[in-house]
């Protein structure tokens, strides 16, 4: 199953070392909302407002399109918080105006699940409609948790190895994988596993041509960004980033002290990657699955840990900080008003 790729290590370890250009730095972001408690996932609604999940409280809150106070919609049933688990990624149905459905990655007492939730028309309550996917092993750490709806209208889900590296290479485990299912919970070909050999995926994004990318937290040597190929193995635990010789090669690597990547979005010709331990926003120019320029770090240390990055309907990026979430490593003291959502204007 493993694919060997000797000969690319030196190039990839340097990132985009043959970059033709360097992106311009964006202007400082503006604040959308403050006072959130360990926010994790973010998804936009048809009216431009957004829903944000809080990992520890299990609450989903609604944020007005133009900013202002966040209002609680409801608390998701069955959420059990651990060091890194709880209510994680959320994704609104593309038909939300009609079906009022939001999909969520939930860490429970006995397992992790992907569930469908229904939001009341007045945004004052939510209920769990059904479990779409269960059997994901839970643990104290390495839950993954990102969930997005791809251009194929399927749910793409990143899972962690549940702190058991062997899970990532085990074809019978849903952990350490990219999973892909329909919004009714069925899996193409009867198998939800799209790719394997992942340590802890917390970022998934798609380019304008449909190319799927994932950001992955490494152990102590390399974090990475990968292009996701169906049925491919990405090497963990034998290979970490470019440290090793098995699996698909990443398109970009970076040291964990500078990244610990979480959420990721595509906008203006680049992937924009939130960094937890690195406390910055990485910009990685890409096109058709290839790096096209030098990676640049923005706002290093300015806003603390960045958990989530999402492209807004107006073309801006919304950044979710993660400074009140002190259970995970690489923490920083919360600033007054943390946690917050910031709006960033970007351009090529």
């Amino acid at each position: 199953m493993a694919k060997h790729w000797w000969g690319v290590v030196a190039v990839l370890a340097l990132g985009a070392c043959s970059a033709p250009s360097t992106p311009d730095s964006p202007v400082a972001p503006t604040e959308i909302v403050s006072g959130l408690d360990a926010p994790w996932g973010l998804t936009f609604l048809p009216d431009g407002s957004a829903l944000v999940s809080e990992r520890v409280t299990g609450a989903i809150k609604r944020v007005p399109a133009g900013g202002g106070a966040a209002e609680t919609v409801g608390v998701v049933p069955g959420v059990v918080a651990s060091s890194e688990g709880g209510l994680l990624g959320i994704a609104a149905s593309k038909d939300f105006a009609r079906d009022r459905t939001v999909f969520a990655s939930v860490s429970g007492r006995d397992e992790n699940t992907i569930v469908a939730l229904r939001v009341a028309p007045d945004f004052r309550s939510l209920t769990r409609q059904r479990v779409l996917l269960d059997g994901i092993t839970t643990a104290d750490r390495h839950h993954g948790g990102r969930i997005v709806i791809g251009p194929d209208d399927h749910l793409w889900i990143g899972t962690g190895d549940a702190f058991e590296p062997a899970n990532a290479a085990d074809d019978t485990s849903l952990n350490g994988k990219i999973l892909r299912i329909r919004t009714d919970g069925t899996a193409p070909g009867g198998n939800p596993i799209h790719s394997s050999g992942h340590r802890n995926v917390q970022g998934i994004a798609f380019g304008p041509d449909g190319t799927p990318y994932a950001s992955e937290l490494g152990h102590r040597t390399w974090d990475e960004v990968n292009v996701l190929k169906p049925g491919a193995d990405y090497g963990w635990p034998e290979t970490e980033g470019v440290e090793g010789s098995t699996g698909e090669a990443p398109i970009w690597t970076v040291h964990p002290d500078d990244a610990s990547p979480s959420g990721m979005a595509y906008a203006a010709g680049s992937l924009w990657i939130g960094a937890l331990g690195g406390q910055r926003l990485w910009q990685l120019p890409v096109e058709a699955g290839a790096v096209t320029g030098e990676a640049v770090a923005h706002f290093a240390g300015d806003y603390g840990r960045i958990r989530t990055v999402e492209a807004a309907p107006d073309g801006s990026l919304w950044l979710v900080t993660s400074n009140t979430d002190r259970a995970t490593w690489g923490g920083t003291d919360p600033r007054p008003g943390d946690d917050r959502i910031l709006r960033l204007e970007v351009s090529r």
Side-chain angles (χ1 to χ4, degrees):
M1 186 175 181
K3 175 183 177 182
H4 295 274
W5 38 270
W6 292 283
V8 299
V9 173
V11 173
L12 290 169
L14 294 173
C17 60
S18 59
S21 62
T22 299
D24 293 331
S25 295
V27 298
T30 57
E31 184 174 293
I32 290 290
V33 67
S34 61
L36 298 172
D37 186 357
W40 210 100
L42 179 75
T43 187
F44 286 96
L45 301 180
D47 64 358
S49 67
L51 300 178
V52 58
S53 62
E54 291 186 336
R55 183 182 74 80
V56 178
T57 68
I60 290 180
K61 295 184 175 180
R62 186 186 184 206
V63 179
E71 296 185 353
T72 299
V73 175
V75 176
V76 177
V79 171
V80 177
S82 58
S83 290
E84 294 179 357
L87 179 59
L88 304 176
I90 56 175
S93 164
K94 289 187 176 181
D95 228 1
F96 180 85
R98 180 187 61 82
D99 61 26
R100 311 294 299 179
T101 298
V102 172
F103 306 100
S105 178
V106 173
S107 301
R109 188 173 308 279
D110 301 315
E111 63 180 350
N112 293 347
T113 56
I114 305 302
V115 303
L117 309 165
R118 180 174 171 80
V119 177
D122 61 2
F123 291 98
R124 293 177 183 264
S125 66
L126 59 81
T127 54
R128 192 172 80 168
Q129 291 179 293
R130 61 194 184 279
V131 175
L132 301 179
L133 184 65
D134 56 13
I136 305 169
T137 300
T138 194
D140 188 55
R141 296 170 61 187
H142 292 197
H143 295 258
R146 193 65 58 186
I147 178 171
V148 302
I149 299 178
D152 57 0
D153 294 332
H154 287 52
L155 294 170
W156 292 63
I157 303 147
T159 66
D161 64 10
F163 221 53
E164 291 289 343
N167 285 335
D170 183 352
D171 290 340
T172 68
S173 171
L174 298 180
N175 293 81
K177 307 294 191 296
I178 296 291
L179 308 177
R180 178 174 168 264
I181 60 174
R182 302 181 183 95
T183 55
D184 64 1
T186 60
N191 183 3
I193 296 175
H194 180 80
S195 59
S196 61
H198 300 283
R199 184 172 183 266
N200 195 16
V201 173
Q202 290 189 6
I204 302 173
F206 296 86
D209 61 350
T211 299
Y213 302 88
S215 60
E216 182 170 338
L217 291 101
H219 182 42
R220 300 185 188 280
T221 308
W222 295 112
D223 295 329
E224 59 193 79
V225 171
N226 290 296
V227 172
L228 299 174
K229 301 176 182 179
D233 166 47
Y234 288 83
W236 178 256
E238 292 184 48
T239 294
E240 177 188 349
V242 294
E243 190 70 22
S245 57
T246 62
E248 294 288 332
I251 63 169
W252 183 67
T253 56
V254 60
H255 289 289
D257 287 347
D258 296 325
S260 300
S262 189
M264 177 172 67
Y266 177 92
S270 293
L271 295 173
W272 302 79
I273 307 160
L276 296 171
Q279 299 185 27
R280 65 198 70 183
L281 178 68
W282 281 101
Q283 180 183 1
L284 180 66
V286 295
E287 184 177 358
V291 174
T292 60
E294 182 180 356
V296 176
H298 303 294
F299 315 124
D302 291 350
Y303 305 105
R305 293 153 46 97
I306 299 177
R307 169 70 67 185
T308 291
V309 185
E310 290 289 342
D314 65 2
S316 67
L317 294 175
W318 283 25
L319 317 178
V320 180
T321 68
S322 186
N323 300 317
T324 57
D325 194 344
R326 300 303 302 276
T328 52
W329 72 278
T332 184
D333 290 333
R335 296 153 170 76
D338 276 340
D339 269 310
R340 64 194 78 228
I341 297 174
L342 306 169
R343 180 181 182 276
L344 180 66
E345 292 278 3
V346 296
S347 61
R348 286 185 180 270

